[in-house]
Amino acid sequence: MQIIPAIDLLQGSCVRLHQGDYDQVTRFSEDPVAQALEWQRQGASRLHLVDLDGARSGQPTNDSAVRAITAALSIPVQLGGGVRTLERAEALLSFGLDRVILGTVALEQPELVEQLAARYPGRIVVGIDARNGKVATRGWITDTDTDATSLAKRFEGIGLAAIVSTDIATDGTLGGPNLTALRAMVDASSTPVIASGGIGTVSDLLSLLPVGVSGVIVGRALYDGTVILSEALQAVGDGRLQDASSSQSTPC
């Protein structure tokens, strides 16, 4: 299971929102490039960027920071937030991003997702953000009646790189992931699922292993220090500590 540090960009700074509320902002760093390099130094194999300004308004106000981050890093970088046109997706990919994440348009213009997935196989991700199991769009401001799992099934077999499944109620809370919702998402689609929301401890990461997600995005827990990236990578990555201890144990 891949651990993917998150950098949420708001007016060029690294921030976190509590449950997606733009009125509850915590600023962690004014230098997103330095923060990105730090996660890479600590062993991250992928970085997750969110353009919060883009998600809310649809306007690309953090492009200079995105360009600087992709230029500075050697690991792949993915970005979501405000990607609502073919031209915008292609522009972001031209910045050096490995993947772009489509959220709002996955519901409003599913044909655009299909078009991009065909044109850029393995580089398009659908972000499904849910509140009480229902999809929320436009930076989590607009609630809909669409089931999150139904939306996932809509894109079965089109060549997506992944689905990022975010539970809004747990996001930024450090209270643990919504395992029930994640299991439902994994069962609903054969596309790899990346979990997002609620991670507060290494135990939370371990709880995801039986669920079958391919990765997990971690934000506030890394910034608050309740999860240390190097320790988390040892706990859930290849050759993880519990595997080693299990292999050395002798049955009673």
Side-chain angles (χ1 to χ4, degrees), residues 9-24:
L9 296 168
L10 186 66
Q11 298 173 350
S13 298
C14 301
V15 307
R16 291 297 289 170
L17 306 183
H18 180 80
Q19 296 180 325
D21 188 346
Y22 283 79
D23 292 326
Q24 297 187 63

Side-chain angles (χ1 to χ4, degrees), residues 41-105:
R41 186 192 67 78
Q42 291 189 30
S45 56
R46 174 176 291 276
L47 183 69
H48 178 78
L49 299 180
V50 180
D51 182 349
L52 291 173
D53 297 291
R56 178 165 56 174
S57 68
Q59 300 302 311
T61 59
N62 292 293
D63 282 3
S64 60
V66 174
R67 289 176 182 270
I69 289 169
T70 57
L73 267 59
S74 59
I75 60 174
V77 181
Q78 62 190 36
L79 178 141
V83 188
R84 296 173 189 164
T85 66
L86 175 69
E87 293 75 18
R88 177 61 176 158
E90 292 186 326
L92 287 167
L93 290 171
S94 75
F95 294 173
L97 289 166
D98 173 59
R99 298 172 176 173
V100 294
I101 303 166
L102 306 178
T104 294
V105 296

Side-chain angles (χ1 to χ4, degrees), residues 169-235:
T170 61
D171 191 76
T173 67
L174 307 180
N178 186 334
L179 298 177
T180 300
L182 287 168
R183 287 192 187 97
M185 187 62 71
V186 169
D187 291 343
S189 176
S190 62
T191 303
V193 174
I194 298 173
S196 176
I199 298 300
T201 66
V202 171
S203 294
D204 291 335
L205 294 171
L206 293 173
S207 74
L208 290 172
L209 291 175
V211 176
V213 296
S214 66
V216 54
I217 294 167
V218 187
R220 181 178 289 273
L222 293 173
Y223 294 98
D224 285 358
T226 60
V227 171
I228 306 302
L229 182 57
S230 58
E231 295 176 0
L233 291 169
Q234 283 186 307

Side-chain angles (χ1 to χ4, degrees), residues 131-208:
R131 185 183 284 112
N132 299 319
K134 302 293 185 180
V135 176
T137 61
R138 299 190 177 276
W140 303 351
I141 295 172
T142 304
D143 292 320
T144 76
D145 293 326
T146 301
D147 290 331
T149 52
S150 296
L151 185 58
K153 291 176 183 177
R154 171 69 174 76
F155 300 110
E156 186 73 12
I158 69 167
L160 292 178
I163 290 171
V164 173
S165 179
T166 302
D167 181 67
I168 296 170
T170 61
D171 191 76
T173 67
L174 307 180
N178 186 334
L179 298 177
T180 300
L182 287 168
R183 287 192 187 97
M185 187 62 71
V186 169
D187 291 343
S189 176
S190 62
T191 303
V193 174
I194 298 173
S196 176
I199 298 300
T201 66
V202 171
S203 294
D204 291 335
L205 294 171
L206 293 173
S207 74
L208 290 172

